[in-house]
Each structure stands twice: as C-alpha cells, then as structure tokens.
Amino acid sequence: MTAKALMLQGTGSDVGKSVLTAALCRLARRRGMSVAPFKPQNMSNNAAACASGGEIGRAQALQAMACGLEPHTDFNPVLLKPETDRRAQLVVHGKAVGAMDAAHYMTHRGELLDRVMESFDRLTAAHDLVIVEGAGSPSEINLRARDIANMGFARRAGVPVCLIGDIDKGGVIASLVGTKTVLDPSDAAMITGFLINKFRGDPALFEEGVNAIEERTGWPCFGVIPWLTATAHLPAEDAVTLERPSRPAGGTLRIVAPMLSRMANFDDADPLKQETGVAFEWVRPGQPIPRDADVIILFGTKSTLGDLDFLRQQGWDHDIIAHARAGGRVLGICGGYQMLGKRVLDPDGVDGEPGEAPGLSLLDVETEMTGNKMVAPTLGHCVLGQAKVSGYEIHTGRTTGRDTQRPMFRLGGVDDGARSASGSIQGTYLHGAFSSDSFRRAWLEEIGGAGDAALNYGQSVEDALDALADGVEAAVETDRLFAAARQPGWQPQT
C-alpha cells in the first residue's frame, strides 16, 4: 500500500518547519511506523554526504536520523547552493548539474517537478508515512507559477498541508489569516489545520488568538508549541545563531570563526559549542577578530574565491596573519583550508566566478578547482595520536604542495590535509570531524585545552531529538495531526 503523507508549510522562513518535521518523524518512528522525511527543494550551503552517493541538505540528514535512516538523495531531490547573490549551484538527485542565475532557475524550475515526483514516489512505495517540509512560504504568490516547493508540489502530489505560524516573531494572527486571504482558493483548500510555534509563557493566554484564527480561516488548530530549548542542542541548519558569549575564567579556550558571506557546513562548530572548556563565538562582518583568541577557524564556503575577497574586505586577512605570526593556531576546513594556501585558481569558474587570487600563504599549498566534485562520507584516523575520526567530504578542487607531506588525517587509506612545520596552522577537507569524540578531545588537548570526557556528541543529538519530540507531543494533538495525513492523490472536498 502506498504510504500516507503530510506536508508542513510555514507562513514564512525560519518558523520551525525543519525541527518540527524532525520531531514528527521521531514521534512516528516511536509509534512503530516506517517514516521518511522529504523536502522537494532546499536552498542551503549546509549539505550532507550520502553513503549511497550524492548530497542533500543537512536538515534532511537530521530528519533522517530522527527516522532511524541513513541520509539518501531522495529525501531532498533538488538542492540549491548559493555561490553569489544571484547565482547558485543546482544539485538534482544528489549530483551537481551546473550553476544558474536566479531568473533562469525561476523560469525553468517547473521542469524539475517530474524529478521531484520520482523521489517522492519511491519514498511512498517504501514507507508507511512521509513527512514533507515546504520551503519559504506559500503566501509568496508571486512565486506560485512553476512552484515545486510548496503548493505546486502539494497540488501535484495530492498531499494535505499543515500550516505553521511563528508567534515569537509577532503578528502570527495576521500571518496565518493573511496566508488564507492571499492564497488561491484551491491552494487554501489543501490546508487541513495549523500549528502555532515558539510560544513563550502560558499557552492558555493565547486561546482567544487561536479562536480568532480558526474563525477567520476555517482551519482547526492542532496545537500551540512552546519554545523548546532542545533545539539549541541540534545541529545548525540554515542560519548561524549570532552568539557572542563572554569568556569564562579558568583558562577556557577561546575559539573564534569569521562569518564568511557564503559559509558552508558551519554546523562543524556545533560539537565545540557543547564543550564546557570552550568559549566559541562567531565574528560578524565589520568586526575585528579578537586579539586574545586562542584558535581561529575558517569554515567551508560555497565560493572560495568570493569569500577570500570578502575576508579581505573585512580586514580579517591582516588579523589572521598577525595571529599566526604571534604563534596562534589557525584551522581551515574545506574552503577555509584552500584559503590558507599560497594561491587559489578557478580558471573555469566551477566554484563561482572564474579567476584566481593569492591566499593567506600560511600553508605551503596551492589549490586548483576542477570539474570533479568529491562527495562522500569517510572515516580514518588522525596522523598525530591516531585518534579515530569520521565525517564527510564535499568539495571541488585539488590541493597540492609541500605542507601536504604533513597531513592531518589518513582517510580510507589516503592522506588528507596539511600542517605547517610548527603544527600551529592546519587544514583539512574533512567535514564533521569534531563530531568524533576521540578526535575532538585529542585536538583540544593538542592546542592546550581539555575535552569533556562525559560528552558523547552523537548521543547528545539523539537525546535532543527525543526531548524535541517529547515537547511537541505534549503540546500537539498528534493523533489528530497524523490522522490528517492522506495517501498521495488526495483532493480536498470543496
């Protein structure tokens, strides 16, 4: 029998669709259902490598974890990875098929709906339930033509929709009622109810508000969800939380990272944030890198040349070089590793605009971008100390030079990364390394800190998913919500 499906759409971006999808996936799994996540179209530079090949959004990898599944490209058949303000790399079924500007994509995206349906059909044939996550908001009616992410998909697939409003942003009544007002009646009929998310305080105080929304829309409320602290312990998804913690006393390590304009896979930092002996902070554009930082980390980027230029515009190149000359430690991951070398060349524009530029020259390496994109999970060990490590690679470019003779890791029998002669400057292509407890502790010890022996990062994410599911189940009429799911091809009664 074909699986049932339910779609979560939002009144806007960042209303909590991703985490609520993960919560519902975990709740369905607890009930003994075979459940899978699905997001027709995602736009994010935070990606995950799938063991079967290809890449998907990190949010869908987390949702897969909630389902007890390995990441698969069918969970996110269309992924857009922005390279500039107007151009993005298009990834279909996990494979990069080229880059295009926004106008061209908007004109031709409807052609991808058949590819989206291929993945959806495979999932509904293999599982009891599919929880679908929309993108942005269906109220953006200027984008409705050729839509594949919201109502365009829901109507084509025949999947009922639950609409989510974020009360923390304010104006939730207007956003929900306004969505009903602007939608085409046939689209609005796909919505079977709504959820209020991120409520602070006593939900009973919003009872009149719920009644007002129900009266004006005709949609029932499935629940008012409180602000759930468990979300702070989940991997970062589509936006960096701008936290600037004070530096605690007692020799705590201060690790800082500049926020690049096309930064990718910044959830690499999440395990470090949970270490009690680490004070981690992002350095926002326009601010200098703190002089008393112990370690500077340059995270990955979707456009190495573009962000190398952005880094110089902020004056961060001078800060980083001065830090290194004073004996400070610098770690570059993926695109950040490429920036630490002497030169980056991209003659064919495979990673953004064509060109070349000098790097920071902190490592004796050079990178040339190539058309072959490396996407794969991997495991191995740290060259120094032999700590075990696992993670994934997603990158274009080949890095060569003298310092690669001092690699950071041995992955699948192949050397990865580079270290300076002093060992204070390090670079690697490996994402997710800090999720490996043994490596994270060894690395912190190497730089003069101490890892929390009690921290099992993987288990902490599982625990956070369980806590998230508990919070949602306590606030939502989950039986009623799951009962709203229908087999594909469903059409509302009008």
Side-chain angles (χ1 to χ4, degrees):
M1 182 179 292
T2 301
K4 291 184 177 181
L6 177 69
M7 187 173 194
L8 302 185
Q9 295 184 18
T11 57
S13 298
D14 196 31
V15 300
K17 297 186 296 291
S18 294
V19 293
L20 291 183
T21 298
L24 292 178
C25 285
R26 178 54 59 98
L27 288 172
R29 181 187 176 195
R30 285 181 181 175
R31 297 181 181 205
M33 286 185 272
S34 171
V35 57
F38 184 68
K39 183 156 186 169
Q41 172 195 291
N42 198 355
M43 178 178 285
S44 177
N45 278 332
N46 260 17
C50 302
S52 57
E55 59 183 308
I56 60 174
R58 292 295 299 172
Q60 282 62 65
L62 178 67
Q63 292 159 0
M65 185 177 181
C67 297
L69 302 174
E70 290 295 322
H72 193 280
T73 55
D74 278 342
F75 300 155
N76 177 205
V78 177
L79 175 63
L80 296 169
K81 305 185 75 172
E83 295 177 345
T84 69
D85 289 342
R86 297 188 177 185
R87 192 175 90 157
Q89 183 184 68
L90 175 62
V91 179
V92 179
H93 288 164
K95 305 298 182 184
V97 297
M100 60 181 64
D101 61 35
H104 184 268
Y105 177 75
M106 295 303 292
T107 300
H108 295 278
R109 61 179 174 159
E111 301 167 10
L112 294 170
L113 189 52
D114 286 342
R115 308 296 298 278
V116 166
M117 291 303 300
E118 290 172 11
S119 290
F120 181 68
D121 290 344
R122 283 192 288 266
L123 293 180
T124 56
H127 298 278
D128 302 321
L129 178 67
V130 177
I131 304 293
V132 184
E133 179 192 342
S137 170
S139 63
E140 297 163 344
I141 55 176
N142 56 307
L143 304 179
R144 178 60 177 87
R146 298 176 292 278
D147 170 60
I148 67 173
N150 290 303
M151 287 302 176
F153 168 80
R155 293 276 298 277
R156 166 72 179 269
V159 175
V161 173
C162 174
L163 188 63
I164 302 168
D166 179 359
I167 197 169
D168 190 60
K169 287 185 170 69
V172 72
I173 296 175
S175 64
L176 286 161
V177 174
T179 299
K180 172 67 179 292
T181 301
V182 301
L183 286 181
D184 178 274
S186 296
D187 285 351
M190 300 298 293
I191 298 175
T192 59
F194 66 92
L195 287 166
I196 302 293
N197 196 25
K198 305 181 188 177
F199 188 88
R200 299 178 189 264
D202 183 358
L205 298 177
F206 193 61
E207 188 172 327
E208 290 186 12
V210 168
N211 291 338
I213 297 168
E214 290 181 330
E215 291 173 2
R216 286 165 172 78
T217 63
W219 301 326
C221 179
F222 291 122
V224 178
I225 304 169
W227 187 280
L228 299 174
T229 58
T231 57
H233 300 285
L234 294 173
E237 295 172 36
D238 297 321
V240 177
T241 301
L242 299 178
E243 298 173 346
R244 298 188 65 83
S246 59
R247 186 178 188 183
T252 297
L253 282 168
R254 189 180 193 186
I255 300 177
V256 304
M259 293 182 63
L260 303 171
S261 64
R262 298 297 171 199
M263 190 162 56
N265 296 79
F266 45 75
D267 59 321
D268 282 342
D270 289 342
L272 293 174
K273 294 179 183 179
Q274 293 196 27
E275 286 284 355
T276 56
V278 170
F280 182 92
E281 62 185 282
W282 297 105
V283 180
R284 288 174 279 192
Q287 297 182 343
I289 294 176
R291 293 184 179 181
D292 61 345
D294 296 302
V295 185
I296 298 172
I297 300 181
L298 285 177
F299 286 98
T301 170
K302 185 59 195 72
S303 179
T304 300
L305 283 176
D307 265 342
L308 189 54
D309 180 60
F310 180 80
L311 181 147
R312 287 192 163 102
Q313 291 176 23
Q314 311 308 312
W316 288 335
D317 55 331
H318 300 296
D319 296 341
I320 295 169
I321 291 170
H323 171 84
R325 286 176 177 170
R329 293 182 174 271
V330 182
L331 170 65
I333 301 175
C334 200
Y337 167 36
Q338 296 171 342
M339 293 182 194
L340 294 179
K342 291 184 172 181
R343 182 163 290 275
V344 178
L345 303 96
D346 189 4
D348 298 322
V350 298
D351 191 48
E353 296 297 330
E356 63 178 81
L360 300 179
S361 295
L362 296 179
L363 285 173
D364 188 0
V365 299
E366 181 174 291
T367 299
E368 181 170 0
M369 301 301 178
T370 63
N372 296 325
K373 188 174 186 179
M374 176 67 174
V375 180
T378 187
L379 52 85
H381 64 269
C382 186
V383 172
L384 296 179
Q386 301 296 303
K388 293 182 179 179
V389 67
S390 62
Y392 59 97
E393 294 183 57
I394 298 180
H395 69 89
T396 57
R398 181 171 179 266
T399 300
T400 57
R402 183 179 304 174
D403 283 346
T404 61
Q405 297 174 18
R406 289 183 291 269
M408 275 195 73
F409 300 111
R410 185 78 175 169
L411 303 173
V414 178
D415 289 341
D416 167 78
R419 292 178 292 117
S420 64
S422 67
S424 61
I425 314 299
Q426 302 174 328
T428 178
Y429 275 117
L430 184 65
H431 290 290
F434 290 126
S435 296
S436 298
D437 298 327
S438 59
F439 166 71
R440 187 180 64 255
R441 291 168 189 149
W443 184 80
L444 289 171
E445 182 177 351
E446 176 190 338
I447 63 177
D452 185 349
L455 175 58
N456 179 325
Y457 180 70
Q459 187 59 51
S460 74
V461 176
E462 289 283 1
D463 292 344
L465 284 169
D466 281 332
L468 176 69
D470 289 342
V472 170
E473 188 167 37
V476 174
E477 297 180 62
T478 49
D479 288 341
R480 190 178 175 199
L481 182 58
F482 282 135
R486 294 287 186 271
Q487 289 185 349
W490 169 82
Q491 294 296 325
Q493 293 182 350
T494 56

